[in-house]
Amino acid sequence: MSDSNTTNARKTAGAPALVISAKPVVLPAPGRGEDLQVSVSAPATGGDLPVIVFSHGFGWSMDGYAPLADFWAAHGFVVVRPTHLDSRTLGLSADDPRTPRVWRFRVEDLKRVLDGLDLLEAAVPGLTGRLDRDRVAVAGHSWGAQTASTLLGARVLDSDGVPGEDLSDPRVKAGVLLALTGLGDSLTPFAIEHLPFMKPSFDTMTAPALIVAGDNDRSHLSTRGPDWFTDPYTYSPGNKSLLTLFEAEHSLGGIPGYEVAETTDESPARVALIQRLSTAFLRSALYPEDTGWKAAAAALEEDPGPLGTLQSK
């Protein structure tokens, strides 16, 4: 990284920068049935910009999660949000032959974004030549967190408990996993029948990750309580941190969007904490010399305050 580009990238890490956005940017997707549409948000200036590929939760689209995407872009990241096949905007029917494989299509969507960074650069005015392909992270919420976790090394167990295909991607250096579901040994009968892919193994999820869970997040897919969402931290090796948010439900205060109908625990303060800590975590994970995460983590671990607690390993 050149000195001038380093300076530009670092400037975007402080005060919020002007953000440019473009959508829909279309990536060819043979065999998917629909070309892949994505939204791209980036700082208007700066070079050697790190990339976050974000996977939305069930039913959402590239238009969701603006509280995170806008914040990350304003603080130095290029954020790419694909629209997965389960999006309400596409209306995929339950009897569509692609439906049983939607979870795999989701993973392929993220990899297609990584394969198509040249096309994305060229499609967004002023973005060409500004991406740092050596500093790539993934993030996701709920089902999107499961999608992102596979690129970090998590695997899906088959009916005999044998880990399936390794779908990790060496281009991905770190991740932020928001309300990621836990192990498959406590699924409800409905989940067992209809969601066979919800049997993860985190044993090989070795990439650095910040895992965010709400201590009031109760899923109808599990017979356990909110502690289910801490499994990804408990059962994964390596550099992991767990942010547990007090009184937070599945939307974690409203990360899908401000005042959206699916948010049951509206809390701008909670969202702001996630914004700050996820930014600090990813920046330090992608730039080892950056001490922002170490300082933020130490402060929260010493004085949790009213919003949540943080632990790391």
Side-chain angles (χ1 to χ4, degrees), residues 249-263:
E249 298 175 11
H250 201 58
S251 292
L252 302 174
I255 58 172
Y258 295 110
E259 299 184 351
V260 302
E262 291 173 47
T263 295

Side-chain angles (χ1 to χ4, degrees), residues 1-269:
M1 180 185 292
S2 68
D3 290 341
S4 60
N5 281 338
T6 300
T7 300
N8 286 337
R10 288 290 185 262
K11 284 181 179 178
T12 60
L18 178 68
V19 171
I20 58 172
S21 296
K23 65 178 183 181
V25 180
V26 179
L27 295 175
R32 186 176 183 266
E34 306 267 354
D35 284 338
L36 180 61
Q37 296 191 28
V38 307
S39 169
V40 182
S41 300
T45 61
D48 285 342
L49 301 172
V51 178
I52 300 173
V53 184
F54 184 87
S55 180
H56 63 71
F58 174 73
W60 283 86
S61 72
M62 62 182 173
D63 296 319
Y65 299 90
L68 295 179
D70 290 348
F71 189 91
W72 288 333
H75 290 81
F77 294 88
V78 175
V79 184
V80 185
R81 287 173 285 169
T83 294
H84 297 303
L85 286 175
D86 59 277
S87 173
R88 288 187 290 266
T89 63
L90 299 180
L92 196 71
S93 66
D95 59 358
D96 188 289
R98 294 169 292 176
T99 296
R101 294 192 67 252
V102 164
W103 77 272
R104 284 296 299 265
F105 281 111
R106 280 174 146 267
V107 175
E108 292 164 10
D109 289 346
L110 301 192
K111 290 178 177 284
R112 185 168 281 111
V113 168
L114 298 179
D115 294 339
L117 290 179
D118 288 347
L119 291 174
L120 294 177
E121 272 194 328
V124 179
L127 193 59
T128 300
R130 297 174 56 210
L131 302 188
D132 185 346
R133 286 161 175 74
D134 293 326
R135 291 185 169 91
V136 175
V138 291
H141 174 239
S142 192
W143 197 3
Q146 186 195 36
T147 304
S149 73
T150 62
L151 274 70
L152 298 172
R155 298 169 76 169
V156 174
L157 303 176
D158 65 18
S159 58
D160 295 322
V162 177
E165 182 182 355
D166 179 5
L167 299 173
S168 62
D169 196 305
R171 293 172 292 186
V172 176
K173 303 302 192 294
V176 172
L177 305 173
L178 303 146
L180 172 58
T181 52
L183 299 180
D185 55 4
S186 61
L187 296 177
T188 61
F190 172 86
I192 292 172
E193 180 181 355
H194 297 284
L195 306 171
F197 55 85
M198 289 190 66
K199 296 177 181 178
S201 169
F202 301 114
D203 293 347
T204 54
M205 192 173 78
T206 57
L210 171 63
I211 295 152
V212 183
D215 73 359
N216 200 28
D217 188 356
R218 300 179 184 277
S219 175
H220 67 279
L221 301 177
S222 172
T223 59
R224 286 168 56 194
D227 68 299
W228 190 44
F229 293 92
T230 66
D231 284 355
Y233 175 79
T234 302
Y235 295 104
S236 63
N239 178 11
K240 300 293 188 301
S241 293
L242 173 65
L243 173 63
T244 303
L245 297 170
F246 300 148
E247 300 303 317
E249 298 175 11
H250 201 58
S251 292
L252 302 174
I255 58 172
Y258 295 110
E259 299 184 351
V260 302
E262 291 173 47
T263 295
T264 56
D265 62 333
E266 191 80 36
S267 173

